[in-house]
């Protein structure tokens, strides 16, 4: 398994720049998620890494090997990246065994080795005995698993997964996702997973590459991008977030609808801006004396937790709070709302 | 999948092998002493093949015969030019022979070839010789036509409005128009054709279609060759209600055209080809033509097809068949009048 | 010549923008060479036509007769195409939407008339109605002959319509009639246009039916000029006029075709609700099909069989057998050459959108309207200079390949487009070179469909007559030439066994063509004919 280094990469479709001066690195064995709205260039980045399209500028290195450059490109068949596209894209004319063995050249491997690899891979994906099934006879989840086995069979330098679970229903999707991630970790595989599902990105990866408009908006561990977003919009794209207007005074204290708090460090210049709060950082109580008063106007019950929507009495701000445990709230209740997390202040640009 | 691919490969190989075997047999032989001869025959296989077989037997030479429409074969020979694989061209009509002769693609036949054929039916420079005689007639339905025309020029009269059928694209009709131009001048011929057109003449693709149309009473009279009433009747497998009629003696409508043969300059086998012409013009073969295809033998004093006057009693006009070769002007005229 | 065309087109292409799809120089060279080969008949025609002085050419084009023939041709073309569109849509909709067990098999008898050459068709109908003649009769016969092209084309796209659309339309309160016009029809417009193109080009190049029915179309004029005057110049001028007519027809067809309507390739749900249950409608649709099959299949076959039985002459078994073998051999060889030619051309068109592809496609398509006699004479002219290849089955097979290249290329393009891009990409990332991707992914997936296209060329070649007469090896008879030689002397009874055998042999590939072929993408829905989108 190999590290990945993407440096100053730009990709164009005709006159349109789809990837714009993008750089990031990935250590060997790390799993990264490319997260972003559709059209942000995440699939394009993946295809550039796979060698399926040619960058305009910049370099791509797999380990120490330079594979992509605007002038010279190592073609996809020389890169050994295991590519798993949406819905698997199994070869319809080949059975499961032939699909898995597709990348194993008869020149390099004996028939015995190929047969061994096939059964190893089938064992790995939990589908022994499926050798002779045709792709059309498999369920969606099985197709994805075989596609992964096909990619892993060539002992790839890294695995590239392009929204492999997007066509599956929610339950199967979660199950297969954790299965695949476990499998990739067990193999020590460097991998990139393209997804538009923020939960999937956080749960599956060591690194999250948050993309927007062909650029990296933020890059870091899931905790970093979730807990310390570099902007309100990044915060929104990694999870549910409240964005409240705020003012930072000369002494460093920040005031916003829920509180006025002292800054941990020295004085700064006055600033208008926003604070970003995660709904789970808000506590709601009917009995507490502390906190800001408001009225519960909506309650969405999810079972494991619930989302409470509170309209503050003074400022008329709408606050969402994620609350666990048994509920004794009803719409119309007068409540106190309290913020119990870090202050993430973003000054206006 | 794999099995079917294999089968495909095997089948392809078989096809290629088979085609190689077929392909090789047509390669040209450049020997003086011929063992094979290539004939382009405008005469139908059904009628001529037995004669060819007989000659192959007696001469010990194999014939490769290419059957087709006379005019199309002539066009093909013109297109092939000096590269023509044909040794001999046997045509249904003098016009096609004339076209090939005009392009200087026929050799001059020695005087001892087809000696029995009268000079009337041989090209002036002996480029080709006539093999059988074909009389122009008017075919008519006796139920519909009580008063018979005496001259072909009468057919432009109002009495025949919408009742006459011709086949202007057919070589035999064009040969007749050519003779008309030669005899009476282009203006006369044009007037006659314009009269026909104004008289709502019916156009057919070929002679047999005219005869069938007469039998079906679509029309009552048509300009055809004499043997089509047999051909159509045999094709339909029944008697038809169509008769042959001749115009008054000497009328151009009674013209005798010929089927004929010539040897191509591209041939290396003149001797053998000339031998075949001699066979086709021999008394014995000629008699068989009369009996089987109902054509006229060109030999003086030969018997006529059943029920018809002998060749010399038809009252055929004196037509220089050699002059029929220039059908370009006929073509232009037919185009001009709008019949082609 | 080849280099000129190639360089010119290459230059044009290099200036086109869009996806990074540069054409491999080897492919470009190969395609350029093939296009030059395809252009042989055109070059021949231009040389022959301009042997005539210009005023004569002008006079020939402007004379009343030419305009009259042009009028007849246009009228015939319009009649056949318009009726075909109505009947084809009606019958195809019947086959597709009527709820009946094994309804998809109804296509088989509806397509089988493809096995009958138009001249045999006409002979049999003339036997039934001897007075049949004129432009309406010709339209009638040509509709019977060409309707299967329309049916196949429409059926393929009907089967590609996601019936989810129909269900949505139902829930939005549309009646079934409204659904047909507002949901179904827009989606099959492209196929209707393809079917119209195919049947229209057939009408333009047909000789058999029109000449037997005394209708003078451009093709008949050309043939007459060759035959009656040896005036190859005039015939060539009219041939160029015919080419012009087909260019106009093709561009009109392009205009009508809705380019925005993309066929939905993957998602298909077949539900009972999209089927027709109304008894009267069902009766109408099924009887339309029944009438068609009776007129186009049962009656001709009946006539042939009764002629065959009524023939007192002994059957020439060995003659029949050798004609059949020649027919199959040379047609198969022709189909094979067409397949080889169509591979680079189809590959180019399927994978490189651009002006070069479009120009290539048009050139090939126009060749489709050329009558056999033109290709025949062009190849006589060229071939006779080539020595032993002349009058060998290779030159004849080559002529078939040229004549029916449009069919082969269309089917090749269609087949190659069946292979999703993502599969090629996956194969590339799995270490396969471009060649290997083609051999291990593209060809295996496209092969069944390519095979069907090749079958179609094979079938069409078996029925070909004018070029066969000119180019066959001397002494070789095919079933078609034997039918011709008996029919030329009005021996229809003797022609009957050859015609029957030809129809019988041709019925085998036709049957295979009409079968609903399973699809890789959706095995469950096994009702799909691939060949239909021939254009």
């Amino acid at each position: 398994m190999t590290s990945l280094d993407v440096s100053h990469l730009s990709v164009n479709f005709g006159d349109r720049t789809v990837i714009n001066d993008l750089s990031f690195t990935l250590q060997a064995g790390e799993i990264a998620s490319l997260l972003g709205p559709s059209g942000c260039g995440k699939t394009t980045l993946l295809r550039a890494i796979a060698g399926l399209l040619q960058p305009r500028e910049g370099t791509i290195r797999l380990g120490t090997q330079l594979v992509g450059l605007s002038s010279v490109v190592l073609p996809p068949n020389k890169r050994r990246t295991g590519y798993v596209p949406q819905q698997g894209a199994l070869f319809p004319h080949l059975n499961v065994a032939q699909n898995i063995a597709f990348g194993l050249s008869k020149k390099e491997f004996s028939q015995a080795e190929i047969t061994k690899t096939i059964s190893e891979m089938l064992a790995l994906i939990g589908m022994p005995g499926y050798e002779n099934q045709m792709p059309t006879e498999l369920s969606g989840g099985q197709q994805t698993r075989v596609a992964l086995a096909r990619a892993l069979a060539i002992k790839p330098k890294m695995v590239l997964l392009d929204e492999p679970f997007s066509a599956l229903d929610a339950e199967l999707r979660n199950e297969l996702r954790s299965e695949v991630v476990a499998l990739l970790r067990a193999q020590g595989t460097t991998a990139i997973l393209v997804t538009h599902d923020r939960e999937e990105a956080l749960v599956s990866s060591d690194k999250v590459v948050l993309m927007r408009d062909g650029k990296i908006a933020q890059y870091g561990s899931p905790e970093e991008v979730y807990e310390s977003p570099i902007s309100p919009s990044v915060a929104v794209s990694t999870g549910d977030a409240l964005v409240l207007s705020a003012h930072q005074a000369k002494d460093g204290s920040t005031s916003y609808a829920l509180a006025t708090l002292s800054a941990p460090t020295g004085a700064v210049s006055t600033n208008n801006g926003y604070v970003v709060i995660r709904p789970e950082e808000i506590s709601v109580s009917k009995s507490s004396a502390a906190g800001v008063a408001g009225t519960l106007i909506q309650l969405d019950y999810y079972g494991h937790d619930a989302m409470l929507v509170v309209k503050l009495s003074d400022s008329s701000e709408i606050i969402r709070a994620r609350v666990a445990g048994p509920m004794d709230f009803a719409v119309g209740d007068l409540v106190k709302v309290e913020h119990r997390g870090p202050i993430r202040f973003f000054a206006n640009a | 999948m794999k099995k079917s691919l294999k089968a495909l490969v095997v089948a392809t190989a078989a096809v290629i092998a088979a085609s190689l075997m077929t392909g090789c047999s047509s390669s040209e032989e450049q020997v003086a002493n011929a063992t094979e001869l290539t004939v382009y025959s405008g005469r139908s296989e059904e009628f001529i093949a037995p004669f060819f077989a007989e000659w192959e037997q007696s001469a010990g030479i194999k014939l490769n015969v290419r059957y087709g429409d006379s005019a199309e074969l002539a066009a093909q020979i013109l297109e092939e030019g000096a590269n023509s694989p044909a040794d001999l061209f046997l045509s249904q009509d003098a016009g096609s022979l004339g076209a090939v002769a005009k392009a200087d693609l026929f050799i001059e036949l020695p005087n001892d070839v087809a000696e029995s054929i009268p000079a009337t039916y041989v090209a002036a420079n002996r480029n080709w010789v006539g093999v059988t005689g074909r009389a122009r007639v008017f075919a008519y339905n006796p139920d519909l036509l009580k008063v018979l025309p005496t001259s072909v020029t009468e057919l432009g009269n109002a009495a025949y409005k919408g009742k006459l059928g011709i086949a202007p694209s057919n070589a035999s009709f064009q040969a007749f128009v050519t003779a008309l131009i030669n005899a009476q001048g282009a203006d006369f011929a044009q007037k006659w054709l314009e009269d026909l057109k104004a008289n709502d003449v019916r156009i057919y693709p070929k002679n047999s279609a005219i005869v069938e149309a007469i039998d079906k009473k679509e029309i009552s009279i048509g300009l055809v060759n004499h043997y089509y009433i047999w051909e159509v009747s045999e094709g339909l497998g029944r008697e038809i209600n169509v008769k042959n009629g001749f115009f008054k003696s000497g009328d151009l409508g009674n013209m005798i055209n010929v089927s004929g043969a010539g040897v191509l300059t591209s041939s290396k086998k003149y001797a053998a080809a000339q031998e075949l012409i001699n066979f086709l013009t021999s008394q014995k073969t000629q008699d068989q033509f009369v009996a089987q295809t109902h054509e006229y033998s060109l030999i003086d004093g030969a018997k006529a097809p059943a029920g018809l006057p002998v060749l010399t009693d038809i009252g055929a006009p004196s037509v220089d068949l050699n002059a029929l070769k220039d059908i370009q002007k006929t073509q232009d005229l037919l185009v001009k009048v709008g019949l082609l | 010549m080849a280099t000129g065309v190639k360089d010119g087109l290459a230059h044009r292409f290099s200036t086109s923008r869009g996806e990074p799809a540069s054409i491999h120089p080897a492919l470009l060279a190969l395609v350029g060479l093939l296009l030059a080969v395809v252009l042989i008949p055109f070059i021949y025609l231009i040389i022959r036509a301009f042997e005539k002085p210009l005023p004569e050419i002008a006079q020939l084009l402007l004379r009343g007769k030419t305009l009259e023939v042009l009028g007849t041709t246009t009228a015939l073309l319009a009649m056949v195409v318009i009726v075909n569109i109505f009947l084809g849509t009606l019958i195809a909709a019947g086959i597709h939407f009527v709820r009946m067990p094994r309804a998809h098999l109804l296509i088989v008898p509806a397509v089988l008339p493809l096995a009958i050459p138009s001249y045999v068709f006409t002979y049999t109908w003339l036997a039934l109605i001897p007075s049949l003649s004129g432009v309406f009769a010709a339209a009638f016969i040509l509709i019977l002959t060409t309707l299967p092209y329309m049916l196949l084309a429409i059926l393929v796209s009907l089967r590609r319509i996601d019936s989810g659309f129909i269900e949505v339309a139902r829930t939005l309160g549309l009646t079934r009639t409204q659904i047909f016009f507002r949901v179904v029809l827009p989606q099959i417009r492209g196929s209707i246009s393809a079917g119209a193109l195919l049947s229209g080009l057939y009408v333009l190049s047909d000789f058999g039916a029109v000449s037997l029915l005394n209708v003078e179309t451009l093709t008949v004029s050309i043939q007459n000029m060759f035959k009656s005057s040896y005036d190859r110049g005039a015939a060539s001028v009219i041939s160029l006029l015919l080419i012009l007519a087909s260019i106009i027809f093709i561009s009109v067809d392009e205009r009508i075709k809705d380019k925005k309507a993309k066929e939905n390739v993957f998602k298909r749900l077949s539900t009972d609700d999209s089927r027709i249950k109304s008894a009267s409608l069902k009766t109408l649709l099924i009887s339309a099909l029944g009438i068609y099959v009776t007129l186009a299949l049962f009656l001709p076959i009946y006539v042939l069989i009764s002629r065959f039985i009524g023939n007192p002459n002994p059957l020439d078994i060995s003659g029949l057998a050798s004609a059949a073998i020649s027919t199959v051999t040379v047609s198969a060889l022709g189909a094979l050459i067409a397949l080889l030619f169509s591979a680079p051309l189809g590959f180019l068109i399927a994978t490189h959108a651009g002006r070069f592809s479009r120009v290539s496609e048009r050139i090939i398509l126009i060749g489709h309207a050329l009558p056999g006699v033109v290709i025949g004479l062009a190849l006589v002219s060229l071939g006779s200079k080539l020595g032993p290849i002349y009058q060998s089955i290779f030159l004849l097979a080559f002529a078939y390949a040229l004549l029916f290249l449009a069919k082969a290329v269309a089917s090749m393009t269609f087949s190659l487009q069946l292979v999703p891009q993502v599969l090629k990409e996956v194969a590339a990332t799995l270490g396969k070179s471009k060649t290997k991707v083609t051999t291990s992914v593209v060809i295996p997936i496209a092969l069944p469909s390519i095979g069907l296209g090749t079958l179609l060329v094979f079938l069409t070649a078996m029925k070909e007559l004018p070029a066969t007469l000119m180019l066959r090896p001397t002494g070789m008879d095919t079933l078609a030439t034997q039918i011709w030689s008996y029919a030329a002397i009005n021996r229809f009874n003797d022609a009957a066994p050859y015609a029957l055998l030809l129809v019988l042999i041709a019925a085998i590939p036709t049957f295979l063509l009409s079968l609903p072929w399973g699809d890789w993408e959706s095995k469950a829905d096994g009702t799909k004919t691939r060949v239909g989108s021939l254009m």
Side-chain angles (χ1 to χ4, degrees), chain B residues 133-141 152 155 163-168 170-176 192 202-215 219-232 240 242-247 252-257 296 308 314, chain C residues 490:
Chain B
R134 315 179 133 208
R136 289 298 288 175
V137 295
F138 60 88
Y140 66 102
N141 189 316
V152 72
L155 297 174
K163 291 180 179 168
L164 173 70
I166 57 171
N170 195 278
S172 64
F173 181 80
Q174 293 187 359
F176 162 70
W192 182 70
R202 302 284 301 272
I203 308 296
Y204 291 88
K206 48 188 193 170
N207 285 317
S208 57
I210 297 177
V211 172
E212 282 185 58
I214 295 169
D215 179 53
I219 47 174
S220 49
I221 179 169
L223 291 176
V224 296
N225 286 346
H226 75 276
Y227 49 87
Y228 279 101
I229 57 172
W230 281 281
E231 197 174 300
V232 170
I240 56 171
V242 183
K243 283 188 164 171
N244 280 332
F246 288 95
F247 300 103
L252 213 53
N254 296 350
M255 165 190 141
I256 307 290
N257 200 344
Y296 279 101
L308 291 181
I314 286 175
Chain C
N490 304 310

Side-chain angles (χ1 to χ4, degrees), chain A residues 13-15 47 50 52-53 76-78 80-83 85-86 88-94 99 101-105 134 136-137 150-151 154, chain C residues 17-20 267 420-434 436-437 439-445 519-524:
Chain A
F13 285 165
D15 297 336
R47 289 164 58 81
L52 296 170
L53 45 83
N77 51 318
K78 302 271 167 62
R80 265 183 56 215
T81 53
Y83 179 45
Q86 293 181 22
L90 296 183
F91 300 114
H93 60 301
L94 302 177
N99 260 290
F102 188 84
L104 303 174
S105 147
M134 293 307 284
T136 44
E137 297 167 318
R150 179 178 64 184
I154 62 167
Chain C
R17 299 179 301 123
E19 283 287 293
K267 304 223 165 78
Q421 182 65 19
V422 64
L423 292 184
K424 294 181 231 171
E425 293 177 354
V426 170
T429 62
L430 290 169
K432 304 292 181 185
S433 65
K434 277 194 170 148
K436 203 78 176 72
V437 171
T439 55
S440 61
V441 177
V442 178
I443 292 177
I445 294 176
D519 209 287
W520 298 121
E521 294 100 51
S522 61
K523 210 176 177 185

Side-chain angles (χ1 to χ4, degrees), chain A residues 49-349:
Chain A
I49 296 168
L52 296 170
L53 45 83
Q54 187 167 351
R56 191 191 71 207
E57 266 171 57
T59 55
I60 299 168
R61 272 173 220 275
L62 279 173
T64 54
Q65 191 184 17
L66 186 64
V67 296
L69 189 70
S70 58
S71 55
V72 188
V73 185
L74 196 65
N77 51 318
K78 302 271 167 62
R79 292 196 184 188
R80 265 183 56 215
T81 53
Y83 179 45
V84 182
Q86 293 181 22
Q87 298 171 45
L90 296 183
F91 300 114
H93 60 301
L94 302 177
N95 65 23
V96 167
Q98 288 163 330
N99 260 290
I100 292 175
F102 188 84
L104 303 174
S105 147
K106 291 235 164 70
K107 277 182 225 144
E108 281 175 61
F109 301 95
S110 68
Q111 189 54 51
E113 283 171 312
I114 292 176
T115 313
K116 186 161 162 275
T117 307
I118 292 169
S119 43
E120 276 173 11
M121 287 298 143
L122 282 174
L124 197 66
I125 59 171
M127 288 174 65
Y130 276 73
E131 281 88 345
N132 296 320
Q133 303 279 75
M134 293 307 284
T136 44
E137 297 167 318
L138 303 178
S139 70
Q142 287 172 325
Q143 290 188 21
T144 306
R145 276 188 263 184
V146 173
L148 181 68
R150 179 178 64 184
L152 289 174
I154 62 167
K155 307 245 176 322
K157 290 179 175 161
M158 66 183 304
V159 172
L160 305 171
L161 304 110
D162 187 2
E163 307 207 18
F165 316 117
S166 59
L168 306 176
D169 61 61
E171 199 178 337
L172 182 61
R173 180 186 180 132
N174 291 341
E175 193 184 308
L176 189 63
R177 180 211 298 145
S178 54
E179 216 177 282
V180 166
V181 168
L183 207 148
L184 291 171
R185 291 207 189 287
Q187 301 268 304
T189 311
T190 316
I192 295 184
L193 170 72
V194 166
T195 179
H196 60 261
D197 180 334
R198 52 202 188 189
E199 192 180 304
E200 187 164 290
L202 296 176
V203 134
S204 320
S205 46
D206 303 310
K207 291 282 164 58
V208 175
V209 181
L210 203 75
M211 288 187 68
R212 178 134 324 161
D213 300 330
K215 290 185 170 176
I216 292 182
Q218 189 170 2
Y219 175 59
S221 68
E223 292 81 2
E224 278 175 275
V225 295
Y226 187 80
E227 298 295 343
S228 316
I230 59 157
S231 71
S233 72
V234 165
V236 171
S237 48
T238 49
D240 198 358
L242 288 166
V243 180
L244 302 176
S245 50
H247 178 79
Q248 200 166 48
K250 262 197 178 117
D251 61 356
S253 64
T254 307
S255 56
Y256 56 105
L258 294 178
T260 302
L261 294 167
S262 297
T265 51
V268 292
S269 56
T270 18
N271 258 328
N272 286 321
Y274 299 97
V275 289
V276 169
I277 303 169
R278 298 291 183 191
E280 64 269 22
E281 293 164 355
I282 309 253
S283 71
V284 180
S285 160
K286 281 204 283 196
S287 50
S288 169
V292 182
T295 315
L296 185 64
I297 57 170
Q298 191 184 330
L299 192 157
D300 297 327
Y301 183 64
Y302 293 103
H304 47 72
D305 57 14
M307 185 68 81
L308 305 182
V309 183
V310 178
K311 188 176 181 186
L312 300 186
S313 310
D314 292 343
S315 60
S316 296
E317 288 270 12
I318 303 292
I319 303 292
R320 274 170 293 132
R322 191 181 291 279
V323 178
M327 292 292 135
D328 56 350
F329 292 106
V331 172
D333 283 354
L334 292 173
V335 293
K336 288 284 175 60
V337 179
E338 222 177 337
H339 176 208
R340 291 183 175 162
I343 306 292
R344 307 183 190 89
F345 177 78
F346 301 96
N348 282 341

Side-chain angles (χ1 to χ4, degrees), chain B residues 150-153 176 180 183-184 246-256 311-319:
Chain B
T150 58
S151 170
V152 72
T153 54
F176 162 70
L180 190 65
Q184 310 270 9
F246 288 95
F247 300 103
K248 68 174 189 278
S249 178
D251 192 85
L252 213 53
N254 296 350
M255 165 190 141
I256 307 290
L311 196 57
T312 44
D313 290 350
I314 286 175
S318 157
V319 169

Side-chain angles (χ1 to χ4, degrees), chain C residues 2 5-6 9 23-39 340-349 351-352 356-361 363-364 405:
Chain C
V5 168
K6 197 178 70 193
L9 292 171
I23 305 175
H24 194 279
L27 176 65
L28 196 66
L30 195 58
V31 169
L33 187 73
L34 285 174
L35 288 180
V37 168
V38 170
L39 285 170
L340 291 178
F341 281 14
S342 68
L345 294 168
F347 184 75
L348 176 85
I349 296 166
T351 55
H352 300 270
F356 184 39
S357 293
R358 282 202 306 276
V359 169
S360 312
E361 207 176 0
I363 290 176
I364 296 161
L405 190 62

Side-chain angles (χ1 to χ4, degrees), chain C residues 406-416 449-450 452-454 533-534:
Chain C
K407 284 190 167 73
V409 170
S411 129
M412 179 65 72
T413 309
F414 177 73
S415 310
L416 292 177
S449 171
I450 293 173
L452 291 177
T454 308
S533 288
L534 291 168

Side-chain angles (χ1 to χ4, degrees), chain B residues 40 66 79-80 174 235 335, chain C residues 44 48 228 390 470 472:
Chain B
Y40 281 13
R66 181 172 199 83
E79 208 56 76
E80 291 166 348
Q174 293 187 359
V335 163
Chain C
Y44 168 83
R48 280 275 178 265
S228 55
Y390 184 56
M470 278 188 203
R472 66 187 162 144

Side-chain angles (χ1 to χ4, degrees), chain B residues 101-183:
Chain B
K102 193 183 166 195
D104 289 328
L105 294 171
F106 278 142
I107 67 160
E108 202 180 309
L109 294 168
N111 286 325
D112 60 350
V113 174
E115 278 174 315
S116 57
I117 305 297
T120 332
Y121 303 118
V122 177
N125 52 3
R126 293 192 70 77
N127 275 157
W128 53 266
V129 298
V131 173
T132 59
R134 315 179 133 208
R136 289 298 288 175
V137 295
F138 60 88
Y140 66 102
N141 189 316
D143 295 347
L144 299 177
L145 201 67
K146 302 297 183 193
V147 182
L148 302 184
T150 58
S151 170
V152 72
T153 54
E154 284 171 24
L155 297 174
N157 294 351
Y160 300 99
K161 192 169 177 65
K163 291 180 179 168
L164 173 70
I166 57 171
S169 65
N170 195 278
S172 64
F173 181 80
Q174 293 187 359
F176 162 70
V177 176
T178 310
L180 190 65
I181 295 171
N182 293 346

